[in-house]
Amino acid sequence: MTPLVLLHASLNLVWLGGYVFPLSKAGPVLHRPRVRRVLGRTTGVVLIGFGLAVGGTAR
């Protein structure tokens, strides 16, 4: 069981580290007002779409 736990932990470390490095380099771009506005609007549209899809499904 211990080798599986260590494998899982190491894979998570590599996977999440793969996110951290590019996002840390993209930080200045992501903090621009125009980019934040576009990301906020896109996120809002996606969440509203998911809400409509869930609300429109039959039980």
Side-chain angles (χ1 to χ4, degrees):
M1 183 67 94
T2 302
L4 289 177
V5 171
L6 293 174
L7 178 65
H8 187 315
S10 61
L11 286 174
N12 277 332
L13 184 65
V14 170
W15 181 257
L16 295 176
Y19 281 119
V20 169
F21 183 70
L23 288 177
S24 68
K25 298 298 180 188
V29 174
L30 294 174
H31 285 290
R32 292 180 185 165
R34 180 180 168 135
V35 174
R36 290 181 67 115
R37 232 182 358 260
V38 169
L39 286 174
R41 289 178 182 168
T42 304
T43 305
V45 168
V46 168
L47 290 175
I48 289 171
F50 283 149
L52 290 173
V54 168
T57 57
R59 289 186 174 184

